[in-house]
Amino acid sequence: QVKLQQSGAELVKPGASVKLSCKTSGYTFSTSYMSWFKQIPGQSIEWIGMIYAGDGGTGYNQKFKGKATLTVDTSSSTAYMDLSSLTTEDSAVYFCARWELWYFDFWGPGTMVTVSS
Amino acid sequence: DVVLTQTPSTLSATIGQSVSISCRSSQSLLDSAGNTYLYWYLQRPGQSPQLLIYLVSNLGSGVPNRFSGSGSGTDFTLKISGVEAEDLGVYYCMQATHAPLTFGSGTKLEIK
């Protein structure tokens, strides 16, 4: 069955970078699309961007250009998101989700990122 | 960016009651190919969102048929016909017609 496993919670200092992972199983990763989302606890959800695993092609929400970089490793069926120059405003839960034909059908459990000195 | 306005922000319902949530878009969500990329997701406490409805009115896999979606253009509705205890959580509408994808602010369903 389809599974998306996300990396564990991160505590990082302001100005630092962090790389989050989303390891998949149960489907053909190399021909799939993956999106990433940000959710500050108690708030709504923001779409960060999407990557096509087949060729690494990406599309970003303008708001997150320069902040987030999406990559994939097809050999391990894993999607990654780099977040750079972190500030307290980047403290949030980050989700990955598979886009299948018409919708996001499977979501990872989320990774909590806390930016604090 | 497309703004999705959800009402109400909070809903309190008894078991078996039918409720509706509205989602209004700042722009038409009908694309040039005739598709309307409007979705409904439920996020239970401490969990990731799960798909309920896609393309306005199509039930997601495994979703109970007490959930239904309707609407067109800029006005959309999610209806729950007979709330059950497991339905508590926050409901979000999401649009994927216009980049960037955007979500509504959410409707929290509480069980009385």
Side-chain angles (χ1 to χ4, degrees), chain A residues 42, chain B residues 6-13 19 21 42-43 45 80 87-92 105-111:
Chain B
Q6 282 184 241
T7 54
S9 56
T10 305
L11 202 46
S12 185
V19 297
I21 300 170
L42 165 61
Q43 188 174 33
I80 310 174
D87 299 337
L88 73 90
V90 181
Y91 291 78
Y92 293 100
S105 54
T107 295
K108 185 175 183 179
L109 176 61
E110 300 172 337
I111 307 298

Side-chain angles (χ1 to χ4, degrees), chain B residues 5 10 13 24 59 72 79 84:
Chain B
T5 302
T10 305
R24 289 191 169 171
L59 212 55
S72 63
K79 183 176 181 179
E84 298 194 5

Side-chain angles (χ1 to χ4, degrees), chain A residues 35 37 39 42-47 50 60-63 95 99 101-110, chain B residues 1 35 37 39 41 43 46-51 54-55 61 92 94 96 99-106:
Chain A
S35 260
F37 300 84
Q39 186 176 36
Q43 297 188 20
S44 185
I45 303 165
E46 293 182 280
W47 176 72
M50 188 177 299
Y60 292 93
N61 183 337
Q62 186 69 28
K63 178 180 178 179
F95 295 99
W99 176 264
L101 287 178
W102 300 106
Y103 43 73
F104 297 109
D105 57 352
F106 287 94
W107 293 64
Chain B
D1 296 2
N35 297 310
Y37 295 90
Y39 305 80
Y41 286 88
Q43 188 174 33
Q47 295 187 18
S48 49
Q50 64 175 90
L51 178 70
Y54 66 97
L55 301 178
S61 176
Y92 293 100
M94 184 201 87
L101 279 67
T102 52
F103 288 79
S105 54

Side-chain angles (χ1 to χ4, degrees), chain A residues 6-7 9 21 24 26 32 51 64 82-83 85 99 108-109 111:
Chain A
Q6 295 190 240
S7 45
S21 66
T24 74
S32 68
I51 185 165
F64 292 96
D82 271 292
L83 296 170
S85 304
W99 176 264
T111 295

Side-chain angles (χ1 to χ4, degrees), chain B residues 57-69:
Chain B
S57 59
N58 295 276
L59 212 55
S61 176
V63 176
N65 60 13
R66 63 179 179 275
F67 292 94
S68 62

Side-chain angles (χ1 to χ4, degrees), chain A residues 1-44:
Chain A
Q1 70 279 32
V2 175
K3 286 187 179 178
L4 278 61
Q5 270 181 270
Q6 295 190 240
S7 45
E10 299 273 3
L11 173 60
V12 293
K13 294 192 184 312
S17 298
V18 69
K19 189 169 188 172
L20 309 184
S21 66
C22 175
K23 183 169 175 58
T24 74
S25 60
Y27 69 99
T28 305
F29 178 77
S30 60
T31 57
S32 68
Y33 291 86
M34 187 73 74
S35 260
W36 290 84
F37 300 84
K38 174 184 179 182
Q39 186 176 36
I40 296 171
Q43 297 188 20
S44 185

